[in-house]
Amino acid sequence: MKKYDYVIVGGGLFGGVMAFHAVKQGKSCLVVERRPHLGGNLYCEDVDGIPVHRYGAHIFHTSDREVWQFVNGLVEFNRYTNCPVANYRGEMYNMPFNMNTFSRLWGVTTPKEAMEKIEAQRSGVTGTPANLEEQAISLVGTDIYEKLIKGYTEKQWGRDCKELPSFIIRRLPVRYTYDNNYFNDPYQGIPIGGYNGLTEKLFAGCDVLLKTDYLADQERFDAMGERVIYTGALDAYFGCCFGRLEYRSLRFEDDVYDTDNHQGVAVVNHTAREVPYTRTIEHKHFDCTRDYREIPRTVVTREYPAAWEEGMEPYYPVNDEKNQALYKRYEELAEREEKVIFGGRLAEYRYYDMDKVIRSALEAAKREFGVQAGL
Ligand code: FAD
Ligand code: UDP
């Protein structure tokens, strides 16, 4: 049996960046991935020439120039800028919350008028917001909270907004300008043709075992590597000995339409509580370097939030106090595992975007290989 320098558990972004640097240092790597493909949640499936984001919309955005240079050194990005639209009972509002939203909602035309509206509606919240509801109302007032936040958030997280941490809503910009860009970061785009090209570059030179669960045969895999890079769920690594960490999961359902343009935008958020899905994604609009009319069909994916159960994909960590405290206990155990590097969204139990995962992996690579981050 071949002995590898590294056994990498998980073929996602964290594993990929570590693999890239390991191979660059002349190290041998075996990647063990449970799914039938590499790429983790970035994986794209080709449907009629449309790169379908199989695990939900993935838009790369960052303020980290080194990370941006790193990915652009590997693949070419398009100029996609995310400008989703929220559908609330047939009323369409621009997201994130900006002058277009305020104008549509209240008929206001100036930032001053919008601020006055919001000021009047947030007077009920005083002091530091204690939960997501208070945070949302203090940022944008009660009208927007009721139409664009409450229903979406409670579907997404399966719990009341009063029981959710406020940081979740602070992910979204609030702007008193007519600017529909969902992100504030200076760098944004999507790899031309989808993310699989990036994945191929990251894992080039590695041996790969797909459809293989590392934990089902851990001893054998541990014996195959000098070191292990583990990017799966941390509680599962330790046999859930302190109890389970909570996650949120998702279910995706596709529709293929015989039209070249179904919803006119890549992302529509469905914010009413009674609509069971949170987003519809029309994938061809991510590929903005290409004229959408070239392909006479289109793929639209509905995204349904779901409670996580054994056997489902754990997409989102639930970073409330209870779960954070439990995670800390697992983290203490992880620190004692000298042969193993833990990293990524699941092993670090953090609501990481792609750029943050890459940054985390570049730092881990520096510690492990003593090299500078970047190419
Ligand atoms: P993952 O991609 O989850 O990779 C971990 C891999 O490990 C998986 O492939 C898994 O199958 C495998 N694995 C786990 N356990 C085992 C085991 N026991 N044996 C073998 N293999 C195992 N980020 C953005 O920057 N922009 C976005 O627009 C964006 N949109 C998102 C939308 C959705 C719906 C979701 C869920 C996430 C989104 N993200 C976005 C976040 C992004 O997906 C993550 O930051 C990134 O994919 C995390 O990479 P990772 O390597 O940590 O984890
Ligand atoms: N959110 C909302 N209405 C929307 C979009 C987002 O209330 O139309 C809230 C919701 O609580 C969500 C959070 O903002 O969990 C962060 O949104 P983001 O788009 O960053 O979520 P992600 O892409 O990570 O699922």
Side-chain angles (χ1 to χ4, degrees):
M1 199 194 298
K2 187 172 172 191
K3 185 95 173 169
Y4 292 89
D5 292 314
Y6 292 94
V7 168
I8 300 179
V9 183
L13 207 44
F14 190 93
V17 174
M18 291 303 279
F20 179 84
H21 276 294
V23 169
K24 216 172 143 196
Q25 298 300 307
K27 307 289 184 195
S28 57
C29 300
L30 173 68
V31 181
V32 182
E33 169 57 58
R34 202 158 53 182
R35 298 181 191 176
H37 55 74
L38 291 178
N41 291 334
L42 275 56
Y43 174 71
C44 294
E45 186 184 338
D46 185 286
V47 180
D48 289 342
I50 301 167
V52 168
H53 293 203
R54 197 56 292 165
Y55 302 96
H58 275 75
I59 299 116
F60 203 101
H61 58 97
T62 188
S63 302
D64 188 329
R65 191 146 65 96
E66 209 170 36
V67 164
W68 185 239
Q69 284 169 343
F70 175 73
V71 289
N72 277 270
L74 298 174
V75 291
E76 193 181 343
F77 278 68
N78 67 22
R79 52 139 200 89
Y80 179 82
T81 302
N82 199 32
C83 298
V85 176
N87 180 338
Y88 177 76
R89 299 183 177 159
E91 297 168 17
M92 305 303 275
Y93 294 98
N94 288 112
M95 295 289 289
F97 314 115
N98 73 79
M99 282 305 296
N100 290 301
T101 330
F102 308 145
S103 170
R104 171 91 174 80
L105 190 62
W106 299 311
V108 296
T109 56
T110 63
K112 184 168 177 287
E113 287 171 329
M115 278 178 208
E116 281 165 4
K117 271 275 179 199
I118 289 174
E119 198 52 52
Q121 293 190 6
R122 71 171 158 215
S123 54
V125 181
T126 47
T128 310
N131 54 50
L132 194 150
E133 176 174 295
E134 289 187 13
Q135 178 71 78
I137 293 173
S138 94
L139 283 172
V140 287
T142 45
D143 285 350
I144 291 182
Y145 173 66
E146 293 295 338
K147 287 192 169 184
L148 301 180
I149 298 176
K150 192 175 190 311
Y152 184 101
T153 300
E154 293 186 355
K155 288 191 281 189
Q156 171 80 353
W157 296 98
R159 56 179 74 178
D160 197 279
C161 287
K162 291 193 194 71
E163 292 164 24
L164 285 164
S166 53
F167 83 88
I168 293 178
I169 200 68
R170 287 199 306 267
R171 285 170 60 87
L172 303 190
V174 178
R175 286 192 202 111
Y176 291 90
T177 54
Y178 289 92
D179 177 0
N180 295 326
N181 184 349
Y182 202 59
F183 303 113
N184 280 329
D185 295 316
Y187 310 112
Q188 184 172 175
I190 291 176
I192 293 173
Y195 286 89
N196 296 356
L198 177 64
T199 301
E200 275 165 36
K201 289 272 173 67
L202 290 174
F203 287 102
C206 298
D207 287 348
V208 178
L209 282 177
L210 296 176
K211 298 188 202 166
T212 308
D213 188 338
Y214 160 83
L215 292 175
D217 215 352
Q218 185 172 353
E219 267 183 38
R220 183 166 75 93
F221 290 123
D222 285 351
M224 288 169 77
E226 296 294 338
R227 310 258 289 148
V228 172
I229 296 169
Y230 179 84
T231 74
L234 196 62
D235 55 344
Y237 182 90
F238 293 106
C240 300
C241 61
F242 300 138
R244 279 200 179 290
L245 286 168
E246 277 179 271
Y247 302 90
R248 287 295 287 168
S249 194
L250 297 168
R251 186 163 53 85
F252 299 102
E253 287 182 10
D254 289 352
D255 288 309
V256 180
Y257 296 101
D258 281 322
T259 170
D260 60 18
N261 185 13
H262 178 72
Q263 61 182 25
V265 65
V267 182
V268 176
N269 293 352
H270 298 267
T271 58
R273 189 72 187 84
E274 65 274 12
V275 178
Y277 40 88
T278 46
R279 292 191 271 216
T280 47
I281 308 299
E282 187 168 13
H283 301 267
K284 61 162 37 177
H285 295 305
F286 288 134
D287 216 359
C288 60
T289 48
R290 197 167 170 188
D291 186 340
Y292 66 86
R293 290 166 297 193
E294 281 174 23
I295 304 174
R297 302 213 297 162
T298 193
V299 184
V300 178
T301 305
R302 278 169 277 133
E303 188 175 310
Y304 295 84
W308 181 81
E309 288 165 28
E310 191 67 47
M312 294 170 84
E313 289 292 344
Y315 287 110
Y316 296 97
V318 179
N319 295 108
D320 59 7
E321 275 174 30
K322 186 181 103 202
N323 282 288
Q324 277 313 119
L326 184 56
Y327 172 73
K328 278 270 159 235
R329 297 182 68 193
Y330 284 115
E331 201 183 22
E332 280 162 22
L333 288 187
E335 276 158 17
R336 287 184 227 151
E337 298 278 306
E338 288 180 358
K339 193 183 153 173
V340 188
I341 298 165
F342 296 91
R345 211 182 214 211
L346 297 172
E348 294 179 60
Y349 200 64
R350 290 177 84 160
Y351 192 176
Y352 268 153
D353 281 325
M354 291 182 275
D355 62 325
K356 300 289 187 309
V357 171
I358 294 177
R359 170 50 64 195
S360 169
L362 290 175
E363 296 305 319
K366 270 192 218 173
R367 288 193 296 274
E368 186 67 9
F369 310 117
V371 290
Q372 283 304 304
L375 281 174

